[in-house]
Amino acid sequence: MLDLRLRSKVSAEELEAKQGKILGAVDYNVLLTGPTRVRKPDGKPLCVYLPGALREQVDDKEVYDILHSLRSLVSSNRGLASGTPRFKGNQRTYAKNVASAIVGAVDPQGQQKYCRLTAWTGRNLPEWQKLHPLLRAVADQLAVHVPDRYAAQQAYADKSDPAWIVPGTPFTTITINNTYPTGVHTDKGDLDEGFSSIACLRKGTYTGGQLVFAEYRVAVDLQHGDLILMDAHEWHGNVAITCRCGFELSGCCEDCGAERVSLVSYFRTKVARCGTPDEEYRKGSNYREQVAARRSAPAEAEK
């Protein structure tokens, strides 16, 4: 494996101009093509690129069918990662919908003040369990190639309720993106001491999609079955994706079948503070009762 130590990074002004933007080939100087460990100028790991490390797992037809089906789940709350301008709603701002699904466990967020499995996960437990061997394979690579980060993340997993952890891994949550380029962003809510990962599944033919570490001008063109272990708190984003039909994609192409599925596996920090499923269910029930009481109060007062 090549060991690459970076010497410099772009200026703060150049980096700021790229935040939230979809990148192009002009935004990187180095393209990783083989197994590579990349270190930042301070010696800390930026990423480890492992071509073909998950080929066996992503070639499983059941795994593909499950991941492909998730393309129907969209999000308007990906922030800078959506790569689109935000617009105002009634009480918050939104970005354009992108094909992005979160599966596994999530901590209290927004109006849902309790820990829980995502809606898809709870409704599709057999399918969720069929993804576990792939996620365990990702965890195995993390343990081998970034053992200190794996150990830190596993320590958090060990002190968390097992209901919120993918069995045999230090992961709580998986974001599954389908064929759209992320704008330059940093990940939030995941464990600072840990390490993130992206596994890639490709179908059809397209150009672009390279993952770029914008501050360091380093990129990788993830192929089918590739895995990258990475510091997701560094600025990163993708080059626009164009299929052979000539369309710039935001979602898989229904005509030629071009598709790029990425699985981002990580540990959400606050999950370590979650209670048991029964405790969190009670929190949710109490919260919903309080909301219902507040909504009915004005009507009662009018009587």
Side-chain angles (χ1 to χ4, degrees):
M1 177 180 292
L2 176 66
D3 198 326
L4 178 63
R5 175 76 173 264
L6 302 174
R7 294 183 179 179
S8 62
K9 53 187 180 180
V10 305
S11 68
E13 293 76 15
E14 181 180 345
L15 180 61
E16 184 176 2
K18 293 180 179 181
Q19 293 171 19
K21 301 293 193 299
I22 303 300
L23 299 175
V26 297
D27 292 298
Y28 61 88
N29 302 113
V30 176
L31 180 66
L32 307 181
T33 58
T36 311
R37 180 184 304 275
V38 182
R39 302 178 190 275
K40 292 181 274 190
D42 62 5
K44 294 180 180 178
L46 174 65
C47 66
V48 181
Y49 175 42
L50 302 168
L54 302 173
R55 188 63 183 265
E56 178 181 348
Q57 288 79 14
V58 300
D59 276 345
D60 185 315
K61 185 179 184 303
E62 283 191 317
V63 168
Y64 170 72
D65 288 344
I66 294 166
L67 298 178
H68 181 66
S69 72
L70 286 166
R71 73 193 186 283
S72 61
L73 301 182
V74 298
S75 172
S76 62
N77 196 33
R78 287 303 316 275
L80 293 176
S82 71
T84 63
R86 298 188 71 81
F87 57 91
K88 287 187 177 181
N90 291 332
Q91 296 181 332
R92 55 185 292 188
T93 62
Y94 297 86
K96 179 181 176 181
N97 281 337
V98 291
S100 182
I102 296 177
V103 300
V106 287
D107 48 27
Q109 301 172 51
Q111 296 182 348
Q112 295 176 299
K113 310 293 187 183
Y114 53 96
C115 302
R116 61 207 182 278
L117 296 179
T118 69
W120 180 90
T121 309
R123 290 194 300 261
N124 298 275
L125 285 175
E127 289 80 4
W128 169 233
Q129 290 165 355
K130 287 175 182 176
L131 296 179
H132 289 180
L134 168 58
L135 301 175
R136 284 195 289 270
V138 173
D140 291 344
Q141 295 292 341
L142 187 64
V144 170
H145 295 283
V146 199
D148 56 337
R149 299 299 184 95
Y150 172 85
Q153 198 157 308
Q154 187 63 56
Y156 270 78
D158 289 343
K159 65 183 181 183
S160 303
D161 190 285
W164 315 121
I165 308 297
V166 180
T169 81
F171 306 133
T172 60
T173 315
I174 317 299
T175 299
I176 301 170
N177 301 318
N178 193 306
T179 327
Y180 79 91
T182 60
V184 175
H185 67 288
T186 58
D187 291 2
K188 295 177 173 60
D190 56 318
L191 186 66
D192 286 342
E193 303 95 312
F195 227 49
S196 188
S197 67
I198 300 178
C200 186
L201 186 155
R202 293 177 64 142
K203 294 287 185 181
T205 301
Y206 62 81
T207 58
Q210 293 90 342
L211 173 69
V212 182
F213 293 96
E215 193 168 8
Y216 300 100
R217 299 186 64 86
V218 172
V220 59
D221 189 7
L222 293 170
Q223 302 297 309
H224 183 70
D226 287 1
L227 172 67
I228 189 166
L229 313 172
M230 57 183 280
D231 183 348
H233 300 112
E234 294 288 349
W235 293 95
H236 59 282
N238 294 95
V239 173
I241 303 170
T242 303
C243 69
R244 66 184 182 185
C245 304
F247 299 122
E248 201 166 283
L249 298 178
S250 181
C252 61
C253 181
E254 299 296 340
D255 293 326
C256 70
E259 184 175 17
R260 180 187 188 274
V261 180
S262 62
L263 287 80
V264 186
S265 306
Y266 50 100
F267 187 100
R268 289 198 64 82
T269 308
K270 293 180 181 178
V271 168
R273 291 184 252 164
C274 295
T276 66
D278 285 345
E279 290 169 340
E280 296 300 327
Y281 179 80
R282 286 194 292 271
K283 288 181 188 177
S285 296
N286 292 339
Y287 177 73
R288 287 188 289 271
E289 289 173 3
Q290 292 170 8
V291 170
R294 287 198 296 270
R295 289 175 176 171
S296 66
E300 293 294 329
E302 289 176 4
K303 293 179 182 178

